[in-house]
Amino acid sequence: MQNNPIGVFDSGVGGTSIWKEIHKLLPLENTIYLADSANAPYGKKSPEDILRLSIKNTELLLQHNCKIIVVACNTATTNAITYLRETYTNVSFIGIEPAIKPAVLQSNSKTVGVLATKGTLSSSLFHSTVKNHAEGIKIIEKEGEGLVPLIESGKATSVEAKDLLKTFLEPMLEQNIDYLVLGCTHYPYLIPVLKELLPVHVNIIDSGEAVARQTKAILERENLLNRGNVASSHKFYTNADVSILRSFLKGAKATVNVAYLDF
């Protein structure tokens, strides 16, 4: 079991931002990544469709003997992870939640912006997180409509992406945010553009490092850490354009195998 891979799935390429943090912290671990780009974005789908797709991805990763599954998608986490944990009890699941708590704890202006998908912002899990951790803090929510398709098509730094971000950020800046929480695993790929658009005092925060630490903690707790000395294996599957997924893995400090898979 210790040599079995960590499974990771997302609605597309965005979860590779999570995979990079996991690999950086756990370089000996084998991984399998599913980019369900043919069905991206999840954020505008119904809860029933999100659950169905999450089940499909989970069962494929279990067929590959994954020892733990990272749901590297905020929308899938908020809509499906409770069901997945209750149904597939022989494997642990790690989900992605917007990093509201650390932003709230560190905010001086007491105003925090959250950029996320409709599926995340409308979920009960998101609202309970805000209720539990953001008392006395103004949370400004903005749906990043149109951003995921741009990122999925390799246009994260395009003029179109920049123009969209300007419209989302303006109302947040008008209300004096000092933290911007990225509530979608695709959005870290927008950070170069965000840094151009945001004043220097506005901090950008996402969940990547926290997810990697949680993955390590659970593997340690369950005695599943790979302690071998063989080079790790990393398989990436997409049901859309292989070249797009491969472009997001350029510079990865690992040997990656990227392939098309009809799933």
Side-chain angles (χ1 to χ4, degrees), residues 34-92:
L34 300 181
D36 191 16
S37 294
N39 292 296
Y42 282 9
K44 296 186 76 66
K45 295 187 181 299
S46 69
E48 293 78 15
D49 281 342
I50 296 165
L51 178 59
R52 175 179 57 79
L53 293 168
S54 298
I55 290 170
K56 175 200 68 169
N57 297 331
T58 294
E59 293 189 347
L60 180 55
L61 289 173
L62 291 176
Q63 288 172 22
H64 284 81
N65 298 314
C66 290
K67 61 184 178 182
I68 192 171
I69 294 177
V70 179
V71 183
C73 173
N74 294 78
T75 302
T77 296
T78 52
N79 287 274
I81 200 163
T82 298
Y83 176 89
L84 296 177
R85 285 171 171 159
E86 291 174 350
T87 304
Y88 304 96
T89 56
N90 292 329
V91 64
S92 292

Side-chain angles (χ1 to χ4, degrees), residues 172-204:
M172 297 184 181
L173 294 174
E174 287 171 0
Q175 298 185 65
N176 197 31
I177 65 165
D178 61 355
Y179 272 84
L180 175 66
V181 176
L182 303 182
C184 172
T185 55
H186 282 75
Y187 294 173
Y189 289 110
L190 298 167
I191 288 177
V193 177
L194 287 168
K195 286 184 174 179
E196 288 181 30
L197 299 175
L198 291 169
V200 292
H201 73 275
V202 177
N203 300 279
I204 303 168

